[in-house]
Amino acid sequence: MPHKIGFVVVSSSGHEDGFSAKELMVHAPTVNGWRSPRLCQYPQEIVLQLVERCRIRKLQLLAHQYMISSKIEFFISESLPEYFAPYQSERFHRLGYVPLSDNEKTGFKARELKSVYMDAVGQYLKLIFHKNYVNKYNLYSQVALVAINIIGDPADYGNDSNKHPSREKLIDHYLGSKSDDPALDGTYLGKSDSISPLDDLAFDMYQDPEVAQIIRRLDEKKHEAVHHERYDHAKKLKQAIADLQKVLLKGCSCLKPRGTPVIHQGLLTRKPPDLPVEPVVYDDSLQHTKATNSPSYENTELQSSQGELWKAESLLEEKPAEPNSPEPVFLRQSTPPTLSHPTTSREVEFLPYDERPLPAIHKHSEETIRYLEPEKTEGDISNSPRSGITGEPEPLSEKALREARPAIEVFGEALVSGAYSKSWSYREDALLAVYKKLMEMAVSTPKEDLKNMLRAAIFLVRRAIKDIVSSVFQASLKLLKMLITQYVPKHKLGKLETSHCVEKTLPGLLSRTGDSSSRLRIMAAKFIQEMALWSEVKPLQIVPVHLVQPLKPNSPTHLAMSRVELVECLLKEMGTENSGFTISNAMKFATGALEHRVYEVRDVALRIIFDMYRKHKAAILEYLPPDDASIRKTVLYKTLFDGFTKIDGKLSDAEMRAQKKAATEEAERQKKAEIKVLQGQLAALKEIQAEVQAGKVGVSPQPAVSEIPDDHSSVANYLDNLCIFCGERNESFTEEGLDLHYWKRCPMLTRCEHCKQVVEIASLTEHLLTECDKKDSFGKCQRCSEAFPKDELPKHIKSKTCNAAKPENVANHCPLCHDNFSPGEEAWKSHLMGTDGCAMNLRRLSTINKTIPMQPGKTSL
């Protein structure tokens, strides 16, 4: 199922102060978003790196109300080979572009929410912003992007899941879910590629963070109940989600960002159930009503350079336009156009209910107008309270009063009310107030009071660590660091209080390392890494012990990745001596991580084990299965043991096989070259013999010692009835007679008992290793250079009783009797045929009289 994909900003061509592109990494009602530099050159660009290689299904862009780019181009890439040149166009594949509305029809009071549907695979996404639309409010010709949302699947996501309904969908079907049920979040049967509204940009941008968190938690509880087959409980949770959404549909979420005007945004709803799903006809005249009277909807298309058309939808959300205008700005909402009586028509394709932009709720005519406060200037902001909110936080509930009683006794109900407030700015202010109060505590304060304040502060920190708003989470980390590194040492409260601080907050911090927001995830992991190395925390060894707790194979990807990366980093920093890490707990954690379902987690686990092997060698092998052929069939363990071999400076099995193959190929090449030369010589002799027999040349014998006679007749007669290997001449050596001689009696030849081929005894070893049909079952002894069956070779090598062979230019080595003797071709004849020659050659002639000297033209292979 497609879901929200996290990303980080790799680079941007520039930004105005306070409006960095990194703001796009957070989705919340109060984010500033990105703005280009003032009076910048165009085009401007931003490069995003996704958390993993993904198939992008949908992009959502929330544009500014008057800093609007005329069009935005999209490019995608698999990688960035040159790190310091991340936005070179040639490394990206162009997907196309979408145009944006100039917003004149709305009087620059609306933000356009553009949804772009696509199907593109990669890990790096580049957005190019073209020149801005000119209007009276955009004084410095800037473009801006308030938010971007990426929805997709991991790139290796299989298509097989679409063929059959999943177990979870069948359970949802059993629970009575319907295709238009708002609690289902697009999980009904037949909708495996639908997108959950919880991943929609509007859910985070125009929803109170506390409410959004409640809905997400209920959804998680529902899926957990389904997983444990508690179907009745799951059905109740499903109904609770539906009821909560129905209640919210009747209200209006009023969000007031600090330093900006109040935004009255109608809660977003799904497609009314009575509208058909097939294409319908819209009244074109109704589509062009004044934008000040109704939200503006568009169906546009992503224009591709390849001629492809991808659907893009936009929703104009009403937004105040003029930053310095003293006049109130209006938000008007009205019912959608009637479909029953069209005048001029155009065809618009309806999307499934959970894929469409979510229109604002309709109000009665008397509720149509909402007054918005004028946007404050920079001067106004500097003179306003830091939080941008006046008044007091809402009172604590009875439950909160009971829960926070110890903190209230220390800091007072007013401050704790801020920490529990639904407004994030009050929560942040409360933490900063605690920070200031504790920093000002005198050393003379009684120890008991100091400890009570510390524990009350840790109580508030634990709560704030779970906060989804980035600034509140950062404030909690700032306060926690001060408590551990300054407050406890300053007042000499001891290791017990430091341990209390770490043990109470570390589990929450670890859970945040699995956050869906990459910014918060990275922030939490970095803080844990730093905290583990603080001089006050490191001797306690608490952090390593928590980190190496067993990792479940199906644990969430982000959480598992953060854990293994933290263990890898801290192991390098702290080692295994008096650090909390030991060989045992580190290896048990790493081997458990090898079983995780995500490749990237297993890859980091391999790196951890390799680092441990470099330092501890054989000590870690007892935590791993034995290195044998059956284990090496598993790719993961083959990679692991090959890595050990490489660390030891040895060749892996694959490298040894490649080396042996290269040597065999070279030997084969040399042999073929020798055979080619021999064949040439034999062809020349046969040609001479044929000429003599044809009577083309007269006979004039001129005998010479150790030379072939010059006349061709003598040469032909000389070669007739002669074995060119042993030199024996016999009248019976016709063509058939010679074959019989080679097969049974020639003392220079032998039959291979494995393939029955006749070969020279001198080259028997080479034949067994490179030519024989059974060559794969033989190996070579490096001591005596002879070939032995592989199952006998280890025993042979271990015995060390063989007669060591000498270099070829020093001595020949007989594969029959295993003796070394003089080098050269003639020495082979003497050894294999002589009276004192090879005792193991059963074909050896009984007398030497039959042997004649070799003459030029006679060849011994």
Side-chain angles (χ1 to χ4, degrees):
M1 178 176 173
H3 59 275
K4 179 179 289 191
I5 303 296
F7 63 87
V8 294
V9 176
V10 175
S11 64
S12 66
S13 50
H15 62 84
E16 184 180 355
D17 290 345
F19 297 90
S20 167
K22 294 187 182 297
E23 288 284 322
L24 299 173
M25 295 159 55
V26 180
H27 294 165
T30 55
V31 295
N32 293 325
W34 168 80
R35 287 186 188 177
S36 68
R38 295 183 175 184
L39 302 174
C40 62
Q41 295 183 344
Y42 288 95
Q44 292 283 303
E45 59 188 28
I46 296 175
V47 178
L48 310 177
Q49 179 182 356
L50 311 187
V51 294
E52 57 186 336
R53 183 172 177 268
C54 295
R55 181 178 295 276
I56 301 176
R57 304 288 190 177
K58 180 178 179 180
L59 289 179
Q60 292 182 295
L61 308 172
L62 184 59
H64 195 266
Q65 60 268 30
Y66 57 86
M67 296 182 185
I68 307 170
S69 173
S70 57
K71 72 176 181 179
I72 302 176
E73 287 185 274
F74 301 90
F75 296 78
I76 198 160
S77 175
E78 294 284 353
S79 61
L80 293 179
E82 298 182 17
Y83 182 80
F84 292 106
Y87 36 81
Q88 295 183 0
S89 296
E90 62 270 22
R91 305 211 181 272
F92 287 82
H93 168 65
R94 185 175 186 270
L95 299 175
Y97 72 90
V98 288
L100 298 178
S101 168
D102 61 8
N103 228 10
E104 288 183 0
K105 292 181 181 179
T106 70
F108 308 101
K109 300 171 187 172
R111 285 179 173 174
E112 184 178 14
L113 178 60
K114 180 80 74 174
S115 293
V116 183
Y117 293 86
M118 61 175 62
D119 187 7
V121 177
Q123 191 170 4
Y124 294 86
L125 182 68
K126 178 165 69 173
L127 287 75
I128 293 186
F129 299 80
H130 288 263
K131 189 168 178 61
N132 62 291
Y133 287 116
V134 177
N135 58 66
K136 64 181 179 180
Y137 303 113
N138 194 355
L139 303 178
Y140 302 102
S141 300
Q142 295 169 273
V143 294
L145 186 64
V146 179
I148 179 171
N149 190 30
I150 303 173
I151 294 175
D153 299 307
D156 56 353
Y157 181 80
N159 294 324
D160 293 341
S161 60
N162 296 334
K163 297 179 181 177
H164 304 288
S166 67
R167 173 177 178 269
E168 185 177 352
K169 292 175 190 174
L170 292 172
I171 293 171
D172 278 342
H173 185 63
Y174 164 79
L175 294 176
S177 303
K178 298 179 181 178
S179 61
D180 58 350
D181 190 336
L184 245 187
D185 296 340
T187 59
Y188 62 91
L189 293 173
K191 282 292 294 172
S192 59
D193 285 335
S194 59
I195 299 171
S196 169
L198 303 187
D199 290 332
D200 194 276
L201 182 59
F203 186 82
D204 289 319
M205 296 301 294
Y206 296 107
Q207 179 103 259
D208 182 82
E210 294 282 352
V211 175
Q213 189 69 2
I214 290 172
I215 293 175
R216 284 196 171 101
R217 286 176 181 172
L218 286 173
D219 189 68
E220 290 172 1
K221 293 290 185 183
K222 184 192 79 171
H223 288 290
E224 183 179 345
V226 168
H227 178 72
H228 293 292
E229 301 183 350
R230 300 172 59 197
Y231 301 134
D232 291 336
H233 185 57
K235 197 167 185 176
K236 291 177 182 177
L237 289 169
K238 179 180 73 69
Q239 187 59 46
I241 296 172
D243 292 342
L244 178 59
Q245 289 180 331
K246 288 176 183 176
V247 170
L248 293 174
L249 291 178
K250 297 178 182 178
C252 179
S253 175
C254 180
L255 305 175
K256 187 174 183 181
R258 65 172 66 178
T260 60
V262 180
I263 303 173
H264 289 274
Q265 171 60 46
L267 288 176
L268 305 179
T269 64
R270 306 179 191 275
K271 176 180 72 67
D274 56 335
L275 291 181
V277 178
E278 61 271 16
V280 296
V281 178
Y282 258 112
D283 187 338
D284 196 63
S285 62
L286 294 174
Q287 286 289 325
H288 293 86
T289 55
K290 285 188 178 181
T292 54
N293 294 329
S294 65
S296 173
Y297 296 84
E298 295 183 37
N299 282 323
T300 64
E301 292 172 337
L302 179 62
Q303 311 295 328
S304 170
S305 59
Q306 288 76 23
E308 300 166 332
L309 295 179
W310 288 327
K311 181 173 290 296
E313 300 174 346
S314 63
L315 167 64
L316 296 181
E317 300 294 353
E318 294 296 342
K319 181 72 180 176
E322 196 170 358
N324 300 318
S325 172
E327 303 175 0
V329 184
F330 302 96
L331 169 64
R332 294 179 180 269
Q333 298 177 343
S334 62
T335 57
T338 306
L339 304 178
S340 56
H341 303 290
T343 54
T344 307
S345 63
R346 64 189 177 109
E347 194 172 54
V348 179
E349 181 182 359
F350 269 95
L351 297 169
Y353 76 95
D354 52 0
E355 298 279 70
R356 297 179 64 248
L358 305 178
I361 187 171
H362 318 306
K363 293 294 180 180
H364 297 295
S365 58
E366 63 268 25
E367 297 177 340
T368 298
I369 300 177
R370 291 281 186 264
Y371 286 87
L372 307 183
E373 297 177 1
E375 190 171 349
K376 296 180 180 179
T377 63
E378 294 181 4
D380 295 334
I381 294 173
S382 62
N383 296 326
S384 64
R386 189 201 60 76
S387 67
I389 295 183
T390 57
E392 298 295 331
E394 59 272 25
L396 292 169
S397 65
E398 288 297 325
K399 179 183 177 182
L401 283 169
R402 291 193 300 271
E403 179 184 281
R405 179 58 57 191
I408 294 173
E409 291 175 356
V410 174
F411 296 120
E413 187 172 342
L415 188 148
V416 177
S417 296
Y420 274 74
S421 174
K422 293 181 180 179
S423 173
W424 64 267
S425 58
Y426 282 131
R427 300 197 298 272
E428 181 183 7
D429 287 345
L431 294 173
L432 297 178
V434 172
Y435 182 96
K436 183 179 179 182
K437 182 178 181 68
L438 295 185
M439 284 292 287
E440 294 172 353
M441 290 299 298
V443 179
S444 58
T445 307
K447 282 283 194 294
E448 194 61 33
D449 292 345
L450 292 171
K451 289 181 179 180
N452 290 337
M453 286 189 177
L454 174 68
R455 296 186 176 238
I458 288 297
F459 173 83
L460 297 180
V461 168
R462 287 180 64 192
R463 178 179 174 82
I465 282 175
K466 302 174 185 177
D467 206 296
I468 64 171
V469 179
S470 174
S471 58
V472 180
F473 180 62
Q474 284 180 290
S476 71
L477 299 184
K478 178 181 177 182
L479 176 55
L480 178 58
K481 182 176 181 180
M482 184 274 290
L483 291 173
I484 295 175
T485 62
Q486 299 180 52
Y487 185 84
V488 173
K490 174 183 175 181
H491 299 288
K492 300 179 181 178
L493 298 182
K495 292 183 178 180
L496 185 61
E497 297 305 318
T498 303
S499 297
H500 174 80
C501 294
V502 177
E503 288 174 345
K504 290 295 183 182
T505 57
L506 185 56
L509 288 170
L510 285 173
S511 68
R512 293 314 296 269
T513 63
D515 202 279
S516 58
S517 166
S518 59
R519 182 181 180 184
L520 297 180
R521 191 165 64 243
I522 294 170
M523 199 183 300
K526 184 177 179 182
F527 185 86
I528 293 172
Q529 182 180 340
E530 292 175 353
M531 180 171 70
L533 299 173
W534 291 340
S535 59
E536 298 82 8
V537 177
K538 187 175 180 180
L540 302 177
Q541 303 180 7
I542 297 174
V543 176
V545 171
H546 274 78
L547 288 177
V548 294
Q549 294 302 308
L551 195 63
K552 295 181 180 179
N554 60 346
S555 57
T557 302
H558 293 321
L559 190 64
M561 277 298 294
S562 298
R563 282 274 299 281
V564 292
E565 286 174 348
L566 278 169
V567 170
E568 179 188 25
C569 183
L570 289 176
L571 263 174
K572 292 178 180 177
E573 295 276 353
M574 305 172 71
T576 55
E577 296 294 330
N578 300 320
S579 64
F581 290 119
T582 64
I583 295 176
S584 176
N585 64 25
M587 283 302 299
K588 287 179 180 177
F589 171 81
T591 52
L594 286 178
E595 305 299 325
H596 198 272
R597 58 188 174 83
V598 176
Y599 165 77
E600 289 80 3
V601 175
R602 300 195 299 269
D603 193 48
V604 179
L606 280 175
R607 296 205 303 263
I608 293 173
I609 295 175
F610 288 150
D611 287 341
M612 293 287 288
Y613 186 78
R614 288 185 184 95
K615 296 176 182 176
H616 306 287
K617 296 291 181 180
I620 74 161
L621 296 180
E622 63 181 273
Y623 300 96
L624 299 169
D627 182 11
D628 55 34
S630 60
I631 291 296
R632 280 182 174 264
K633 289 180 181 178
T634 305
V635 175
L636 185 68
Y637 283 104
K638 182 180 182 302
T639 304
L640 184 65
F641 288 113
D642 282 349
F644 292 162
T645 303
K646 190 173 182 180
I647 291 171
D648 292 337
K650 301 176 182 177
L651 294 177
S652 66
D653 288 346
E655 291 171 329
M656 290 178 67
R657 284 195 299 271
Q659 195 177 64
K660 185 180 293 185
K661 182 179 179 183
T664 303
E665 289 175 351
E666 177 62 20
E668 187 69 20
R669 186 189 64 79
Q670 291 180 358
K671 179 181 177 182
K672 287 180 179 179
E674 293 173 358
I675 290 174
K676 186 175 181 180
V677 172
L678 178 61
Q679 287 174 341
Q681 293 174 352
L682 291 175
L685 288 173
K686 288 182 179 180
E687 184 179 352
I688 294 172
Q689 184 179 10
E691 290 176 356
V692 171
Q693 290 174 348
K696 293 181 180 179
V697 183
V699 179
S700 178
Q702 294 179 1
V705 178
S706 302
E707 291 183 3
I708 296 175
D710 289 338
D711 63 278
H712 293 173
S713 178
S714 298
V715 169
N717 292 333
Y718 183 79
L719 292 174
D720 284 344
N721 314 120
L722 177 68
C723 173
I724 62 172
F725 296 104
C726 67
E728 180 182 355
R729 186 183 299 278
N730 195 305
E731 293 297 329
S732 64
F733 286 178
T734 60
E735 186 172 351
E736 293 80 6
L738 276 173
D739 286 342
L740 184 62
H741 171 74
Y742 296 155
W743 184 251
K744 289 188 175 182
R745 290 188 290 272
C746 182
M748 298 296 291
L749 307 176
T750 187
R751 270 185 294 172
C752 175
E753 60 184 27
H754 302 285
C755 67
K756 306 306 179 184
Q757 182 179 340
V758 176
V759 297
E760 287 187 84
I761 295 172
S763 60
L764 177 60
T765 296
E766 183 181 1
H767 166 79
L768 291 173
L769 293 174
T770 63
E771 296 175 346
C772 183
D773 294 343
K774 304 291 185 181
K775 62 184 179 182
D776 292 336
S777 63
F778 283 90
K780 184 178 181 179
C781 172
Q782 299 299 323
R783 178 181 171 84
C784 65
S785 300
E786 293 183 33
F788 287 88
K790 287 184 177 178
D791 54 351
E792 299 176 9
L793 186 59
K795 182 178 179 181
H796 170 82
I797 294 173
K798 188 175 181 181
S799 67
K800 297 182 181 180
T801 57
C802 58
N803 185 20
K806 297 180 180 179
E808 289 184 6
N809 60 345
V810 176
N812 291 323
H813 185 86
C814 178
L816 301 181
C817 67
H818 318 300
D819 286 344
N820 295 321
F821 53 92
S822 301
E825 294 287 340
E826 290 299 324
W828 274 109
K829 292 185 67 175
S830 299
H831 176 71
L832 294 173
M833 297 171 58
T835 54
D836 297 326
C838 180
M840 301 303 294
N841 185 7
L842 301 180
R843 294 185 177 190
R844 186 163 52 94
L845 299 178
S846 59
T847 64
I848 199 169
N849 296 330
K850 293 182 181 181
T851 305
I852 61 172
M854 285 289 292
Q855 302 292 335
K858 289 180 277 186
T859 307
S860 178
L861 297 179

